[in-house]
Amino acid sequence: MSTPSAIIVGVGAEQGLGAALCRLLADKGYHVVIAGRTPAKIDQVAASIKASGGSAEAVETDATDEAAVIRLFEHAFTARDDIAAPDFVVFNAGINRPIGFRDLTAAQFEEFWRICCFGGFLVGREAARHLTPLGRGTVIFTGASASLRGKTGFAQFAAAKAGLRMISQSMAREFGPLGLHVAHTIIDGGIDGERLRSRRPDVDADGLLNIDAIAESYWHIHRQHPSAWTQELDLRPYKENF
């Protein structure tokens, strides 16, 4: 019997959501295709999984590069005797920092859109092209509270994340009847990972989202019965004011 496989796009530091998803899937018996822009980081995640007895490979991928995303999916879906075609795809690439609206440049706005929205379109499109003929699979897009509302200093982030949410909704309506489960998560709060910790080392972890707990929720979505699919799931710490 072939090993199931998954593609996780947007993997960075080992203490990040993308890496946590890769580790969880490897623990579930999956071969994980680890895609990210920084070779050293994705290689480290793959090496850690292999050292623990899991199956993984790192594929350097810029999610905003159409040719690179196409190559990633062609590679992952190339027939192999011991590894089945992927049935789980996650788009987790992102960028976020506050910029005053009057200081926001066109280049900065486009950068946020390309990473948070355009990259999601490319990954979602290739996932649909490869999974729809198989009549099964799950695609999850990582969103944020900015997917629902804009805040001071975050127009560039909110615009991109709201666009990603609309991509997920459109895909869910088009491909759900064809057997493809498309979902979007609202991550409402700070994620307890390397990115946040490096900027706020004294932050209280009790008020943050645990990366492994988020990953478990993604797995739950993937394993849902088709009679009760989630299209959107919001996750927040119990202390979060919303």
Side-chain angles (χ1 to χ4, degrees), residues 66-153:
E66 181 177 20
V69 174
I70 291 173
R71 286 195 301 271
L72 169 68
F73 276 81
E74 288 178 344
H75 169 74
F77 278 86
T78 297
R80 288 182 268 188
D81 292 337
D82 57 336
I83 299 174
D87 66 0
F88 191 16
V89 176
V90 175
F91 176 75
N92 184 61
I95 179 176
N96 189 16
R97 67 181 183 276
I99 306 173
F101 195 77
R102 288 174 292 181
D103 299 321
L104 182 63
T105 67
Q108 288 171 326
F109 186 90
E110 183 175 358
E111 178 189 22
F112 274 77
W113 172 78
R114 289 186 66 83
I115 294 173
C116 296
C117 186
F118 180 63
F121 154 69
L122 292 176
V123 170
R125 186 191 67 185
E126 292 310 303
R129 285 176 170 176
H130 287 82
L131 289 170
T132 301
L134 304 179
R136 88 293 187 274
T138 303
V139 180
I140 300 179
F141 297 95
T142 298
S145 51
S147 306
L148 304 178
R149 61 184 181 273
K151 294 178 67 176
T152 299

Side-chain angles (χ1 to χ4, degrees), residues 29-86:
Y30 270 66
H31 172 76
V32 188
V33 180
I34 303 168
R37 293 188 299 177
T38 309
K41 291 182 178 179
I42 59 176
D43 286 344
Q44 181 60 48
V45 174
S48 296
I49 288 173
K50 292 176 183 177
S52 298
S55 178
E57 61 180 307
V59 180
E60 182 182 355
T61 307
D62 180 347
T64 69
D65 182 335
E66 181 177 20
V69 174
I70 291 173
R71 286 195 301 271
L72 169 68
F73 276 81
E74 288 178 344
H75 169 74
F77 278 86
T78 297
R80 288 182 268 188
D81 292 337
D82 57 336
I83 299 174

Side-chain angles (χ1 to χ4, degrees), residues 162-179:
L164 182 67
R165 185 180 185 227
M166 293 303 101
I167 289 171
S168 78
Q169 289 186 10
S170 298
M171 285 185 62
R173 290 181 168 94
E174 182 172 353
F175 300 113
L178 303 179

Side-chain angles (χ1 to χ4, degrees), residues 7 28 33 36 49 82 95 102-103 107 153 159-160 186 212 217 227 234:
I7 305 171
K28 299 292 185 181
V33 180
I49 288 173
D82 57 336
I95 179 176
R102 288 174 292 181
D103 299 321
I186 303 292
D212 297 315
S217 292
S227 69
D234 58 336

